[in-house]
């Protein structure tokens, strides 16, 4: 595909901060799509001071999911899932029968068999599973936190921002927001959606297969384990067709650049250990990197979509940034998850606890379905990913995302070193 310019969002007015209302409940965006970019920001088409023990990486030979052959994807052609022996053995260690898994056993969420540790990630390709109707029926998973958890009294939380109305992205999406797409996965509650962003791979320039999203879009946190059948669809519903039009749409109309399965995943140990339905202590570390492979084809993700963004791990304070934007596919009413939207605002600070890193917060009316969607800003004239959607309030007036510092960079670098070029 030809290289296309990344989206240039129209700057949204920055409203004056208003005092935070008394203790509203806040909702986690378990399935928020990629959101709008920063003012005057262009998604160009080009594509944690933590130690290694702090990284929750899936590593080859240490539990990482590895290439799985299926009919039509380089396997035997008989349509059967083929797991490498070590992965089959790992499933068996958890009491999971490989044949039953591929025949629908992945729907069994027995807690004792729910793979939870970083090294346990296994996500075999089940070709044809994510059909257009299954994608349309996937739901956002809303979670809540309360304002008592914010550290306003410590002076670390800024006044709640005024709402910024989400604006629909122009179509076709691949010409205006090429790196953005939707993340689909199966959870105990059913099929779910998040969003993600194609990012550059420093060890595989021009041929990246890496996707940035939220940790809660791949792992349930302290109460569970890895979700299943995790896949990324760039430029989902590229032409912004209506629900009625999509009722009879083909897979190529819904997924013009194919379905990309996560064969490796990494998220923070803080999310794995402390993530919860209300965000918990893991919210400030709620990020993830996926290494994906096409369900069909051999080109890299970056080559296929013609775009990838660099990740900014400098973690600037909110006061240093004049504008940030988020892109996404909000799925909860009044949205339906079929169209891409964006918000742009000046970020403020949100602290869930004095012991946790401060998060970014912007005004935005996007609802559940936008989680994991990238936040972007311009650095030296180049659009870079600086955060991702993590949590938001029940009244859908703002979004918050983690600062990406040394811990996030360590996770990313480990993923790139281990899987770059694959």
């Amino acid at each position: 595909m030809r290289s296309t310019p990344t989206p240039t969002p129209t700057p949204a007015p920055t409203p004056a901060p208003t005092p935070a209302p008394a203790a509203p409940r806040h909702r986690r965006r378990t399935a928020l799509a990629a959101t709008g970019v920063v003012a005057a920001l262009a998604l160009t088409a080009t594509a944690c001071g933590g130690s290694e023990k702090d990284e929750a990486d899936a590593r080859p030979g240490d539990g990482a999911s590895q290439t799985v052959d299926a009919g039509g994807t380089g396997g035997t052609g008989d349509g059967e899932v083929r797991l490498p022996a070590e992965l089959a053995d790992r499933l068996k260690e958890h009491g999971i029968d490989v044949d039953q898994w591929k025949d629908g056993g992945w729907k069994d969420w027995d807690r004792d068999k729910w793979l939870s540790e970083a090294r346990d990630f296994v996500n075999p390709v089940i070709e044809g599973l994510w059909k257009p109707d299954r994608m349309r029926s996937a739901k956002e998973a809303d979670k809540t936190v309360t304002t008592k958890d914010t550290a306003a009294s410590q002076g670390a939380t800024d006044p709640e921002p005024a709402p910024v109305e989400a604006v629909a992205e122009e179509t076709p999406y691949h010409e205006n927001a090429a790196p953005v797409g939707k993340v689909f996965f199966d959870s105990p509650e059913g099929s779910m959606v998040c969003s993600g962003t194609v990012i550059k791979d420093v060890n595989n320039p021009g041929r990246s297969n890496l996707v940035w999203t939220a940790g809660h879009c791949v792992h349930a946190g302290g109460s569970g384990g890895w979700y299943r059948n995790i896949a990324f669809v760039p430029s989902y519903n590229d032409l912004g067709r209506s629900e009625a039009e999509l009722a009879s749409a083909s897979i190529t109309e819904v997924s013009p650049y194919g379905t990309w399965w996560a064969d490796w995943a990494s998220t923070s140990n803080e999310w794995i250990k402390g993530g919860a339905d209300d965000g918990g202590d893991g919210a400030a570390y709620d990020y993830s990197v996926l290494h994906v492979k096409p369900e069909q084809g051999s080109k890299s993700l970056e080559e296929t979509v013609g775009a990838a963004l660099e990740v900014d791990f400098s973690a600037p304070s909110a006061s240093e940034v004049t504008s940030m934007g988020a892109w996404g596919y909000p799925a909860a009413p009044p949205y339906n998850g079929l169209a891409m939207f964006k918000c742009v605002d000046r970020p403020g600070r949100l602290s869930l606890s004095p012991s946790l890193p401060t998060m970014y917060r912007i005004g935005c009316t996007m609802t559940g379905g936008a989680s994991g969607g990238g936040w972007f800003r311009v650095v030296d004239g180049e659009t870079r990913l600086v955060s991702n959607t993590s949590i938001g309030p029940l009244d859908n007036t703002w979004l918050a995302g983690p600062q990406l510092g040394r811990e996030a960079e360590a996770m990313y670098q480990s993923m790139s070193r281990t899987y770059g070029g694959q």
Side-chain angles (χ1 to χ4, degrees), residues 239-255:
L239 298 179
R241 291 182 172 91
S242 68
E243 188 168 10
E245 292 172 323
L246 287 180
S248 57
S250 66
I251 187 64
T252 55
E253 291 175 298
V254 174
S255 309

Side-chain angles (χ1 to χ4, degrees), residues 234-368:
S235 294
Y236 173 81
N237 190 21
D238 192 37
L239 298 179
R241 291 182 172 91
S242 68
E243 188 168 10
E245 292 172 323
L246 287 180
S248 57
S250 66
I251 187 64
T252 55
E253 291 175 298
V254 174
S255 309
Y257 300 104
T259 301
W260 298 73
W261 286 73
D263 55 0
W264 289 286
S266 180
T267 188
S268 67
N269 272 329
E270 289 86 355
W271 176 259
I272 288 179
K273 296 176 181 177
D277 285 351
D278 62 357
D281 291 342
Y285 302 91
D286 185 14
Y287 42 72
S288 173
V289 177
L290 306 177
H291 181 277
V292 299
K293 57 173 288 187
E295 186 169 298
Q296 295 183 334
S298 58
K299 269 190 171 183
S300 71
L301 177 60
E302 183 176 0
E303 290 174 302
T304 300
V305 304
L309 294 183
E310 184 175 337
V311 183
D312 178 11
F313 294 107
S314 64
S317 66
S319 62
E320 299 175 50
V321 183
T322 58
S323 188
M324 278 187 187
W327 262 250
Y329 286 83
Y335 308 97
N336 61 11
L338 303 181
M340 189 189 299
F341 284 80
K342 58 190 177 186
C343 291
V344 178
D345 195 13
R346 181 168 191 151
R349 300 172 301 165
L350 175 67
S351 177
L352 299 178
S353 166
S355 64
L356 295 173
T358 301
M359 301 177 73
Y360 298 120
R361 179 165 64 169
I362 62 172
C364 187
T365 60
M366 285 199 292
T367 62

Side-chain angles (χ1 to χ4, degrees), residues 81-83 87-89 91-92 96-103:
V81 174
R82 296 283 189 258
L83 282 177
L87 296 186
D89 290 343
L91 288 174
K92 290 178 181 178
I96 298 171
D97 182 273
V98 176
D99 291 331
Q100 290 180 3
W101 177 279
K102 72 180 183 182
D103 290 334

Side-chain angles (χ1 to χ4, degrees), residues 65-393:
S65 174
Q66 301 187 15
T67 302
V68 178
D69 292 332
T73 60
T76 61
D78 59 7
E80 292 189 3
V81 174
R82 296 283 189 258
L83 282 177
E86 64 271 21
L87 296 186
D89 290 343
R90 188 168 304 116
L91 288 174
K92 290 178 181 178
E93 287 175 6
H94 288 269
I96 298 171
D97 182 273
V98 176
D99 291 331
Q100 290 180 3
W101 177 279
K102 72 180 183 182
D103 290 334
W106 53 266
K107 298 177 184 177
D108 177 11
W109 295 91
D110 185 323
R111 182 175 177 82
D112 293 334
K113 299 179 181 179
W114 193 349
L115 308 182
S116 59
E117 299 299 322
R119 65 182 185 85
D120 289 335
F121 178 75
V122 179
N123 195 55
V125 175
I126 303 178
E127 187 175 359
L129 179 69
W130 288 110
K131 294 181 171 64
D133 57 346
R134 198 166 193 271
M135 292 182 187
R136 289 198 309 274
S137 65
K139 304 298 183 182
E140 79 288 346
D142 295 334
K143 310 295 180 181
T144 62
V145 295
T146 60
T147 51
K148 70 179 177 62
D149 296 319
T150 63
S153 62
Q154 305 296 320
T157 291
D158 292 322
E160 186 170 321
V164 171
E165 192 70 28
V167 177
E169 182 56 272
E170 295 182 10
T171 58
Y173 298 144
H174 76 268
E175 290 185 357
N176 296 286
V180 177
K182 296 186 74 169
V183 174
F184 295 90
F185 60 96
D186 283 306
S187 79
E189 288 74 39
S191 299
M192 299 290 177
V193 289
C194 274
S195 298
T197 306
V198 184
I199 58 171
K200 293 182 179 180
D201 183 346
V202 295
N203 289 302
N204 197 22
R207 294 175 55 85
S208 175
N209 284 306
L210 300 181
V211 174
W212 192 277
T213 188
H216 74 254
C217 298
V218 300
H219 194 286
S223 64
W226 295 102
Y227 294 127
R228 299 165 186 175
N229 303 322
I230 302 170
F232 176 68
V233 176
S235 294
Y236 173 81
N237 190 21
D238 192 37
L239 298 179
R241 291 182 172 91
S242 68
E243 188 168 10
E245 292 172 323
L246 287 180
S248 57
S250 66
I251 187 64
T252 55
E253 291 175 298
V254 174
S255 309
Y257 300 104
T259 301
W260 298 73
W261 286 73
D263 55 0
W264 289 286
S266 180
T267 188
S268 67
N269 272 329
E270 289 86 355
W271 176 259
I272 288 179
K273 296 176 181 177
D277 285 351
D278 62 357
D281 291 342
Y285 302 91
D286 185 14
Y287 42 72
S288 173
V289 177
L290 306 177
H291 181 277
V292 299
K293 57 173 288 187
E295 186 169 298
Q296 295 183 334
S298 58
K299 269 190 171 183
S300 71
L301 177 60
E302 183 176 0
E303 290 174 302
T304 300
V305 304
L309 294 183
E310 184 175 337
V311 183
D312 178 11
F313 294 107
S314 64
S317 66
S319 62
E320 299 175 50
V321 183
T322 58
S323 188
M324 278 187 187
W327 262 250
Y329 286 83
Y335 308 97
N336 61 11
L338 303 181
M340 189 189 299
F341 284 80
K342 58 190 177 186
C343 291
V344 178
D345 195 13
R346 181 168 191 151
R349 300 172 301 165
L350 175 67
S351 177
L352 299 178
S353 166
S355 64
L356 295 173
T358 301
M359 301 177 73
Y360 298 120
R361 179 165 64 169
I362 62 172
C364 187
T365 60
M366 285 199 292
T367 62
S371 279
W375 291 31
F376 312 110
R377 74 179 186 119
V378 174
V379 180
D380 298 329
E382 180 184 358
T383 301
R384 298 182 184 177
L385 185 146
V386 70
S387 186
N388 57 263
T389 297
S390 175
I391 60 175

